Amino acid sequence: MSLRPLARGAWGRAAFRRRSNLIPLVTTTRRCLNTVPKCPEPTCDCADTPSMPWGQKIDKSANLNGLMPAYAQQVLICTGKDDWASRIEEDNSGDNLAADLKELVGRGGMFSDPYHNISIINASFPSAISRRPEVQTTSVYLLPSFKYIPFLPRVSFDSVQALVKGYLLPEKLHPMNDGLSPIHKDRLQRKEAYQQLLYGVRDVEDVLVLICGHGQRDKRCGIYGPILQEEFERQLPRSGFDVLHGPAVDESVTAPELSGTTSGEEPPRTARVGQISHIGGHKYAGNVIIYLPPSLKNSAGNPHPLAGHGIWYGRVDPKHVEGVIKETIMNGNIIADHFRGGINQKGDIIRL
């Protein structure tokens, strides 16, 4: 079976079918990706499938294919917490990066573009530690561009605007924006010069396993989140992945790498497992997104088939974790029974 990238847009699936004969939302390329129908049975002990609260069952019958919101870029905000207010922009009385970003790129924001959706979610990963601890900063991952921005100062709105203008806006506007005025078009396009205002930006090299654990939004996700996080962290080392904890950058204890000191050996394969805020589909818990970095290689040292992709799964129980690691993270196969959708590095949305 093959997967085909689909056009990305602001309309739902039905609206897309009605209007796709007019202007394609984005030019896509076809690429076949391997699939397996079901997750293999576990070969080792794993945690039990958790019980759900009364009246909040898991939907075990719906076809998950395509049940993933379309987005061009996902901003993963490192909060160091594993639960948040139901609406993340209301956390900490509204003083948070999610609120700042939604003010700019959310509905009605200055840089809002219905043909270039930006997904903003919180994560339990801690932010980087700066050599200047007196300056409060927040870290973000940008996916699927696979960029990590360790230091966004929380004392100035300029850094938030630099993030939006330098990294989140599109390099080229969608044709449906052709009717806008030149100044409006200019405002909605990326300006790479703003990237220079953000310090320490680097490529993401770790596999990221993101599990919805937003208990204040829905109890089902709040129950599944920590159980699946523990199971992934227990199983990944068995497959040769070092599970990393703590901040991705800590300038208080590390020094910049000196040129010419590398041994030439392949670096170890690493992963980070964290809980994230609401991504939609509570009734399909456990919901998991796996981002596989472009540099990832398989166990034979060859490019990984899913390198540069984000894969969305639903109805993941603890008994499925071993199979998800084996089939998707190790072998590069999509598990059709759990597949909600995917995205590649170009921002093309993928479904079966």
Side-chain angles (χ1 to χ4, degrees), residues 120-169:
I120 300 168
I121 58 176
N122 282 347
S124 62
F125 300 133
S127 284
I129 298 176
S130 168
R131 64 172 62 95
R132 296 181 58 196
E134 72 276 8
V135 179
Q136 183 184 1
T137 61
T138 301
S139 306
V140 299
Y141 288 89
L142 306 181
L143 304 157
S145 62
F146 290 93
K147 294 292 183 183
Y148 177 69
I149 301 178
F151 305 115
L152 282 169
R154 298 293 298 136
V155 295
S156 170
F157 202 66
D158 292 344
S159 62
V160 183
Q161 290 187 320
L163 171 63
V164 171
K165 294 178 180 180
Y167 288 97
L168 298 184
L169 296 183

Side-chain angles (χ1 to χ4, degrees), residues 84-95:
W84 310 269
S86 178
R87 294 168 56 89
I88 60 173
E89 61 270 29
E90 297 175 356
D91 218 30
N92 195 31
S93 301
D95 183 13

Side-chain angles (χ1 to χ4, degrees), residues 8 19 29 35 105 114 116 131 137 145 160 165 179 214 242 251-252 262 273 282 293-294 316 326 329 338:
R8 178 179 69 245
R19 305 189 65 161
T29 57
T35 66
V105 300
H116 187 81
R131 64 172 62 95
T137 61
S145 62
V160 183
K165 294 178 180 180
H214 199 169
D242 292 343
E251 291 186 336
S252 69
T262 56
V273 184
H282 310 298
V316 176
K326 175 185 175 182
I329 299 179
H338 297 277

Side-chain angles (χ1 to χ4, degrees), residues 75 77 79 81 83-107 118-123 154 214 216-217 277-279:
V75 183
I77 303 171
T79 69
K81 299 165 51 178
D83 201 10
W84 310 269
S86 178
R87 294 168 56 89
I88 60 173
E89 61 270 29
E90 297 175 356
D91 218 30
N92 195 31
S93 301
D95 183 13
N96 60 79
L97 182 56
D100 294 343
L101 286 171
K102 290 191 176 189
E103 182 179 333
L104 294 176
V105 300
R107 184 176 300 176
I118 305 297
S119 169
I120 300 168
I121 58 176
N122 282 347
R154 298 293 298 136
H214 199 169
Q216 292 193 51
R217 187 69 177 248
S277 60
H278 174 62
I279 55 173

Side-chain angles (χ1 to χ4, degrees), residues 6-327:
L6 292 185
R8 178 179 69 245
W11 305 296
R13 196 181 304 167
F16 172 75
R17 286 196 295 266
R18 290 195 300 269
R19 305 189 65 161
S20 61
N21 61 330
L22 299 177
I23 298 177
L25 297 179
V26 67
T27 302
T28 63
T29 57
R30 292 182 178 272
R31 179 185 175 188
C32 293
L33 300 173
N34 295 328
T35 66
V36 294
K38 292 184 178 295
C39 193
E41 291 295 320
T43 62
C44 58
D45 293 335
C46 53
D48 294 332
T49 298
S51 300
M52 293 294 101
W54 184 86
Q56 291 186 303
K57 296 181 179 180
I58 302 299
D59 186 338
K60 298 290 188 181
S61 60
N63 181 5
L64 296 179
N65 179 35
L67 297 180
M68 164 195 154
Y71 58 94
Q73 199 75 237
Q74 192 162 61
V75 183
L76 193 67
I77 303 171
C78 300
T79 69
K81 299 165 51 178
D82 58 13
D83 201 10
W84 310 269
S86 178
R87 294 168 56 89
I88 60 173
E89 61 270 29
E90 297 175 356
D91 218 30
N92 195 31
S93 301
D95 183 13
N96 60 79
L97 182 56
D100 294 343
L101 286 171
K102 290 191 176 189
E103 182 179 333
L104 294 176
V105 300
R107 184 176 300 176
M110 179 183 296
F111 303 104
S112 176
D113 182 350
Y115 308 103
H116 187 81
N117 184 42
I118 305 297
S119 169
I120 300 168
I121 58 176
N122 282 347
S124 62
F125 300 133
S127 284
I129 298 176
S130 168
R131 64 172 62 95
R132 296 181 58 196
E134 72 276 8
V135 179
Q136 183 184 1
T137 61
T138 301
S139 306
V140 299
Y141 288 89
L142 306 181
L143 304 157
S145 62
F146 290 93
K147 294 292 183 183
Y148 177 69
I149 301 178
F151 305 115
L152 282 169
R154 298 293 298 136
V155 295
S156 170
F157 202 66
D158 292 344
S159 62
V160 183
Q161 290 187 320
L163 171 63
V164 171
K165 294 178 180 180
Y167 288 97
L168 298 184
L169 296 183
E171 295 176 332
K172 182 179 179 181
L173 294 180
H174 188 275
M176 291 297 284
N177 285 323
D178 286 348
L180 298 177
S181 66
I183 193 169
H184 195 171
K185 289 181 181 179
D186 181 70
R187 188 174 74 212
L188 294 181
Q189 282 188 278
R190 184 180 304 179
K191 308 290 191 303
E192 291 192 0
Y194 285 93
Q195 297 179 5
Q196 307 304 316
L197 301 178
L198 300 177
Y199 162 70
V201 179
R202 61 197 65 196
D203 294 333
V204 175
E205 304 286 347
D206 309 321
V207 172
L208 300 179
V209 179
L210 312 175
I211 306 154
C212 185
H214 199 169
Q216 292 193 51
R217 187 69 177 248
D218 189 274
K219 292 181 180 179
R220 287 167 289 193
C221 294
I223 292 171
Y224 263 98
I227 295 174
L228 289 179
Q229 179 178 3
E230 182 178 348
E231 194 68 22
F232 271 104
E233 290 180 340
R234 187 173 69 90
Q235 297 276 3
L236 278 165
R238 300 180 180 181
S239 298
F241 281 84
D242 292 343
V243 177
L244 304 179
H245 302 87
V249 174
D250 186 349
E251 291 186 336
S252 69
V253 296
T254 59
E257 182 178 324
L258 299 177
S259 60
T261 60
T262 56
S263 64
E265 298 179 358
E266 284 290 329
R269 292 186 296 175
T270 55
R272 293 182 182 272
V273 184
Q275 296 182 55
I276 56 174
S277 60
H278 174 62
I279 55 173
H282 310 298
K283 63 181 179 179
Y284 309 124
N287 288 297
V288 177
I289 309 174
I290 302 171
Y291 282 106
L292 301 123
S295 60
L296 184 65
K297 296 182 179 180
N298 60 20
S299 55
N302 300 317
H304 192 282
L306 292 176
H309 285 72
I311 304 300
W312 286 53
Y313 284 143
R315 295 197 293 249
V316 176
D317 289 330
K319 66 181 180 181
H320 299 129
V321 168
E322 182 189 41
V324 168
I325 294 172
K326 175 185 175 182
E327 292 295 342

